[in-house]
Amino acid sequence: MTTTKRRCRLCRSPFSGRSDKIFCTIACKNEYHVRLRRATAYTVRETDKILHRNRSILLEIMGKNKKQKKVDRLILEKKKFRFHYLTGFYVNSRGKTYHYVYDFAWMTFSDQEVLIIRRA
Ligand SMILES: [Zn+2]
């Protein structure tokens, strides 16, 4: 590691040290990460809300113990379920897409029906 002169990423103070160092002090490093987390928290809040709401809707429909349940798509639409908000997806060998919302998944069963699955 070479030692070079450079400026702190946060406060712009000049400092010297190992070439992979980007902050003058631990305090600047910590503050930088606090700001980064705050900016991220602010930006992702709306998406988180929609995903949390989607999960609540699925939980409400499924109840506590059911492993899977087929429902009319309208039931989800009436509850303002946002079909395009997912935590992931998986296409099985038969070409069926599992749309993940945390520990739940849903798939279109027919044009008007949705199968909701509780993931193990
Ligand atoms: Zn600094």
Side-chain angles (χ1 to χ4, degrees), residues 2 7 9-10 12 27 38 41 43 46 55 59 69 73 75-77 81 85 93 95 98 106-107:
T2 54
R7 286 179 182 277
R9 180 174 284 183
L10 187 75
R12 313 305 303 160
R38 197 180 292 147
T43 305
E46 280 309 306
R55 189 193 180 274
L59 177 63
K69 191 174 183 177
R73 194 183 173 91
I75 290 173
L76 290 165
E77 282 170 6
F81 188 82
Y85 284 78
S93 56
Y98 289 70
W106 61 267
M107 63 170 71

Side-chain angles (χ1 to χ4, degrees), residues 7-13 15 22-25 27-29:
R7 286 179 182 277
C8 175
R9 180 174 284 183
L10 187 75
C11 71
R12 313 305 303 160
S13 307
F15 70 95
I22 52 179
F23 300 101
C24 65
T25 58
C28 271
K29 184 182 178 181

Side-chain angles (χ1 to χ4, degrees), residues 27-63:
C28 271
K29 184 182 178 181
N30 289 342
E31 177 61 20
Y32 175 84
H33 287 287
V34 164
R35 290 184 193 182
L36 194 60
R37 275 197 300 275
R38 197 180 292 147
T40 299
Y42 180 78
T43 305
V44 303
R45 196 170 297 152
E46 280 309 306
T47 305
D48 285 355
K49 260 193 224 162
I50 293 164
L51 283 169
H52 290 188
R53 218 185 113 64
N54 268 1
R55 189 193 180 274
S56 295
I57 292 167
L58 295 176
L59 177 63
E60 191 179 31
I61 291 170
M62 290 284 272

Side-chain angles (χ1 to χ4, degrees), residues 66-108:
K66 273 209 166 59
K67 290 258 179 276
Q68 55 182 56
K69 191 174 183 177
K70 211 186 293 171
V71 296
D72 198 296
R73 194 183 173 91
L74 278 175
I75 290 173
L76 290 165
E77 282 170 6
K78 272 191 196 130
K79 291 179 182 292
K80 306 264 191 293
F81 188 82
R82 305 277 294 268
F83 290 91
H84 292 101
Y85 284 78
L86 308 168
T87 55
F89 68 93
Y90 169 73
V91 183
N92 75 6
S93 56
R94 281 174 291 167
K96 272 283 186 189
T97 304
Y98 289 70
H99 305 81
Y100 295 151
V101 179
Y102 301 102
D103 51 334
F104 288 98
W106 61 267
M107 63 170 71
T108 49

